Amino acid sequence: MASGSALIFDEEMSDYKLLWTDPVCEIEVPERLTVSYEALKARGVAERCKQVPVRLATEQEILLAHSEEYLEAVKQTLKMSVEELKAFSKQYNDVYFHQNIYHCATMAVGATLQLVDSVMKREVRNGMALVRPPGHHSQRSAANGFCVFNNVAIAALYAKKTYNLNSVLYFSWHRYEHRTFWPNLPESDYTSVGKDKGSGLNVNLPWNKVGMTNSDYLAAFFHVLLPVAYEFDPELVLVSAGFDSAIGDPEGEMCALPETFAHLTQLLMPLAAGKMCVVLEGGYNLTSLAQSVCQTVQSLLGDPAPQLSGLTDPCESALDSIQNVRSAHSSYWSCFKHLG
């Protein structure tokens, strides 16, 4: 039985920043990475983890989830002037480029794949990769929302190919506000359940108001994610850890306390015989980000989660979202069959 938790980090991934004025992009700063790692060190958490070195992803690995044309376009940013970078960034939505971002994005993918390898080879039980740039918004042929390459999507395809894993179950909760919040995609609503062989394997839980609390997040876990996840019975759990849902975040505007992430992590750990890879995504309040990362890694290490006080019933909006998701998936999952 594998034991221990991996921690993957390289300060090189903080070696890019916004080079012009952009009020949307200015919250994505190098300190996101460094404060998270420093907090782990200060609490004595980093030294308890197995430090795994970062590697660069190969082009073939990046092409698992991205087009050749897009990869070649991003490679050109290495030699662009600031004005050229600014013009290139404007082709995409809410993202900025820098001469060093291709290198950092390649490291972010490589770090994520190193974590997958360490967990799948049972060198460790689980782990977290602190990476930058994040990946969850990037598309096959487009950068998007601070993201260049889709680290976790590449990791899922890599795991399927390298370790002969089977189908992928995707779950996402996200600020949506009835499609009035960025990126305003209809396919982010609960009605998008997947197509063909993937029908029922795409589970979207949209939050239709801000200010969701610990109680709302836990209710979503207990009534949507966990029933489906245990029925699906995965061989590996990949977590896109977006801490913009933490209290004080300017992007998410939600109210989950950092301690909540200790509980959410702990609830996922029995799945896949403990094989879990957590990969940093968003999180733009440096204080709550660092605290949330620490809570997550401490849970991975097996520390007891701190007690949550003040839990209440979930709010009406959260209950509506939960019920809508369960109904939309009632024909796919036996845990929701009574709703059909």
Side-chain angles (χ1 to χ4, degrees), residues 10-22:
D10 194 309
E11 200 167 352
E12 262 195 79
M13 284 182 277
S14 63
D15 286 350
Y16 73 91
K17 63 181 181 180
L18 182 64
L19 298 175
W20 55 87
T21 301
D22 184 331

Side-chain angles (χ1 to χ4, degrees), residues 2-4 50 52 114 117-125:
S3 63
K50 179 181 178 183
V52 176
Q114 285 282 77
D117 283 337
S118 296
V119 169
M120 290 305 298
K121 291 175 181 175
R122 309 309 274 146
E123 295 165 354
V124 291
R125 179 176 170 80

Side-chain angles (χ1 to χ4, degrees), residues 201-325:
L201 296 177
N202 191 74
V203 184
N204 281 318
L205 199 158
W207 293 132
N208 287 318
K209 74 178 198 57
V210 297
M212 294 297 179
T213 66
N214 301 343
S215 301
D216 301 313
Y217 281 98
L218 287 166
F221 246 53
F222 286 126
H223 296 289
V224 178
L225 176 58
L226 293 178
V228 171
Y230 276 90
E231 187 173 331
F232 180 71
D233 193 20
E235 299 163 284
L236 172 67
V237 175
L238 300 171
V239 179
S240 290
F243 296 113
D244 31 5
S245 47
I247 193 164
D249 191 276
E251 188 75 3
E253 295 188 48
M254 300 299 176
C255 294
L257 295 177
E259 292 81 3
T260 308
F261 298 104
H263 288 266
L264 300 180
T265 302
Q266 202 172 70
L267 288 165
L268 292 173
M269 286 171 65
L271 291 161
K275 297 193 291 291
M276 183 157 78
C277 301
V278 180
V279 182
L280 180 63
E281 296 281 2
Y284 306 99
N285 177 304
L286 298 182
T287 302
S288 63
L289 169 63
Q291 292 173 357
S292 300
V293 167
C294 286
Q295 292 288 347
T296 300
V297 178
Q298 285 174 254
S299 274
L300 291 174
L301 285 163
D303 292 358
Q307 187 171 348
L308 289 176
S309 58
L311 291 176
T312 62
D313 290 338
C315 70
E316 200 63 42
S317 180
L319 287 173
D320 285 346
S321 291
I322 289 167
Q323 188 56 37
N324 286 337
V325 177

Side-chain angles (χ1 to χ4, degrees), residues 69-88:
E69 295 75 20
Y70 174 61
L71 174 59
E72 289 304 314
V74 175
K75 284 166 65 178
Q76 299 311 306
T77 59
L78 285 161
K79 51 194 181 200
M80 287 184 184
S81 67
V82 173
E83 284 306 311
E84 288 170 332
L85 287 164
K86 191 174 180 181
F88 184 76

